[in-house]
């Protein structure tokens, strides 16, 4: 399991890995003709992470406006919860300075959209987010909290 | 206009020395160190405005000033002037959080405006991202990089007061050139409308923000999106 949060560093690779191994690997459309990366929330998040990784930037102003709105696939909450938990592990808890264009926030928004069809206004704090998530989707909140407590690395 | 040259309680004087928004070369530091040793400067202090103050006996102040100027540095102007500009290290080479070239913009603003006379000392702060390490909302004129070469501008803030005040945002995502034009306008209005020794923020409270706002065309956001966003769109295969 990656550390819950360290202010000094962010492991975007772990985030990309969680998306790939927890969600894409379990997707019925993986390597199938029906796979449409341009319409897929997870493919979008993975591409954004692939874009920023070599650049060493965390924030792309305006990127949150590019999240696709045409992904109608059904996602498994347990799979998404694992990746969602990874976004929280990587979150730097910027509080007032939270930016929706931060690639970690972008990934989390994609996962929320994929699962619930709506975004949760992120308060810049993992604890406050979990409280907010619990109000809106208690089951998902419990899954994410369990992942944070006992989560495994994507390859496990 | 005065200079940053003040008598202290112990009878010594301080000389307030400004670099390029806090940036000095090794040669300048070595030169300062040599002058400090040669002229018997008992203490050197870094200031909140990214300048350096040197404590010196009065009779050696002129020699110290000459040494400072020979290094390409200068004694900061003081007393009802535009003060040395504060800027964070925001740039493509330094702070990884930077959304724009704050340091170069701060240096350019300092070059053009520092020392200009105004009703009351006028502080400019430039930050490379909304985290605002240079506290742009506590400056008379605060600039915050907003991606690409665009900037948000706030006016009327100040922190050094028993009644501090946050600046008010007047421009979002304006291009770099507009920052200079907006500052020209704000300074012109400030000189025309403020009472003697009245801070810009107090003048804004008294007269309303509108009295200091530049024409709408200067506040128009940059039409060109962030180049990194354009690059991301191309990477994603999304239409521009």
């Amino acid at each position: 399991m990656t550390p819950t949060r360290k202010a000094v560093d962010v492991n975007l690779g772990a985030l990309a890995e969680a998306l790939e191994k927890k969600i894409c690997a379990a997707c019925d459309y993986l390597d199938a003709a029906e796979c449409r990366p341009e319409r897929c929330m997870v493919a979008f998040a993975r591409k954004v992470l692939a874009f920023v990784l070599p650049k060493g930037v965390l924030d792309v102003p305006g990127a949150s406006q590019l999240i696709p709105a045409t992904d109608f696939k059904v996602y498994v909450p347990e799979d998404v919860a694992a990746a969602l938990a990874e976004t929280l592990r990587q979150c730097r808890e910027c509080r007032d300075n939270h930016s929706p264009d931060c690639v970690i926030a972008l990934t989390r928004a994609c996962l929320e959209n994929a699962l619930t069809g709506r975004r949760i206004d992120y308060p810049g704090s993992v604890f406050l987010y979990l409280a907010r998530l619990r109000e809106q989707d208690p089951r998902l909140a419990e899954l994410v909290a369990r992942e944070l407590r006992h989560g495994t690395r994507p390859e496990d | 206009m005065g200079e940053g040259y003040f008598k202290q309680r112990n009878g010594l004087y301080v000389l307030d020395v400004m670099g390029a928004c806090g940036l000095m070369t090794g040669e300048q530091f070595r030169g300062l160190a040599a002058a400090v040793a040669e002229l018997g400067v008992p203490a050197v202090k870094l200031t909140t405005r990214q300048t350096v103050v040197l404590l010196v006996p009065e009779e050696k102040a002129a020699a110290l000033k000459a040494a400072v100027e020979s290094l390409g540095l200068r004694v900061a102007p003081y007393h009802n002037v535009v003060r040395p500009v504060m800027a964070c290290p925001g740039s493509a080479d330094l702070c990884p959080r930077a959304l724009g070239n704050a340091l170069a913009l701060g240096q350019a603003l300092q070059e053009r405006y520092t020392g200009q006379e105004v009703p009351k000392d006028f502080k400019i702060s430039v930050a490379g991202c909304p985290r605002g390490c240079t506290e742009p909302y506590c400056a008379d004129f605060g600039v915050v990089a907003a991606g690409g070469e665009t900037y948000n501008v706030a006016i009327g803030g100040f922190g050094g007061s028993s009644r501090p005040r946050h600046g008010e945002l007047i421009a979002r995502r304006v291009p770099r050139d507009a920052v200079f034009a907006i500052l020209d306008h704000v300074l012109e209005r400030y000189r025309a409308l403020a009472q003697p020794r009245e801070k810009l923020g107090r003048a804004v409270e008294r007269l309303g923000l509108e009295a200091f706002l530049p024409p709408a065309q200067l506040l128009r956001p940059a039409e060109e999106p962030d180049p990194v966003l354009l690059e991301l769109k191309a990477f994603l295969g999304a239409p521009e």
Side-chain angles (χ1 to χ4, degrees), chain A residues 7 38 43-44 46-48 50-51 55-63 65-66 92 94 97 106, chain B residues 96-99 130-132 146-148 173 226-229 231-239:
Chain A
E38 71 279 5
F44 170 79
R46 285 181 62 189
K47 283 198 89 168
V48 172
F51 174 79
K55 291 185 176 298
V57 296
L58 272 181
D59 208 274
V60 182
Q65 294 159 22
L66 303 178
R92 300 177 70 138
C94 295
N97 293 318
L106 205 71
Chain B
R97 288 172 166 172
L99 300 177
R131 288 170 181 80
R173 287 189 56 77
D226 185 339
V228 182
L229 182 65
E231 209 182 319
L232 174 62
K233 283 182 174 179
F235 186 77
L236 294 169

Side-chain angles (χ1 to χ4, degrees), chain B residues 59-137:
Chain B
E59 65 274 14
K60 294 184 178 173
L64 183 59
K65 184 182 177 199
V68 162
E69 289 172 349
S70 73
L71 296 167
L73 301 169
R74 57 181 282 209
V75 177
Y78 193 82
H79 191 61
N80 300 342
V81 293
V82 177
R83 300 279 295 277
V85 173
M86 281 171 70
C88 75
S91 67
D93 298 326
L94 299 172
C95 179
R97 288 172 166 172
L99 300 177
N101 207 346
L103 183 57
L105 175 59
Q107 290 167 340
L109 289 169
Q110 177 164 286
E111 188 72 26
R112 190 181 300 187
Y113 295 96
T114 296
Q116 286 192 13
E117 293 189 4
V118 281
K120 180 69 180 168
D121 286 62
F122 189 94
K123 297 176 179 176
I124 300 172
S125 286
V126 186
C129 78
R131 288 170 181 80
C133 294
T134 49
E135 301 180 341
Y137 288 94

Side-chain angles (χ1 to χ4, degrees), chain A residues 14-152:
Chain A
L15 201 50
E17 203 177 331
L19 295 174
E20 181 191 351
K21 297 194 173 173
K22 289 291 184 182
I23 304 180
C24 288
C27 180
D28 292 342
Y29 299 123
L30 179 68
D31 296 331
E34 291 84 356
C35 179
R36 294 274 185 273
E38 71 279 5
R39 294 183 177 183
C40 175
M41 298 282 187
V42 176
F44 170 79
R46 285 181 62 189
K47 283 198 89 168
V48 172
L49 290 169
F51 174 79
V52 299
L53 262 167
K55 291 185 176 298
V57 296
L58 272 181
D59 208 274
V60 182
S64 58
Q65 294 159 22
L66 303 178
I67 294 176
T70 50
D71 185 352
F72 302 113
K73 293 193 296 299
V74 176
Y75 287 87
V76 178
E78 283 77 2
D79 297 341
V80 174
L84 206 48
E86 192 60 45
T87 68
L88 301 182
R89 285 191 195 104
Q90 301 306 330
C91 174
R92 300 177 70 138
E93 304 212 74
C94 295
R95 302 294 290 240
D96 287 354
N97 293 318
H98 165 69
S99 160
D101 294 319
C102 159
V103 291
I104 301 168
L106 205 71
T107 303
R108 189 184 51 253
C110 286
L111 296 172
E112 289 164 352
N113 267 358
L115 205 56
T116 68
R118 61 182 188 275
R119 289 190 205 178
I120 296 167
D121 187 25
Y122 193 69
S125 148
V126 172
F127 179 78
L128 294 177
Y129 174 76
L130 285 172
R132 200 166 284 183
L133 185 62
R134 191 177 300 279
E135 285 172 11
Q136 298 195 18
D137 192 332
R139 179 165 178 260
L140 180 59
E142 179 51 38
L143 288 171
V144 172
R146 191 184 306 164
E147 282 289 336
L148 284 172
R149 281 195 303 269
H150 308 296
T152 53

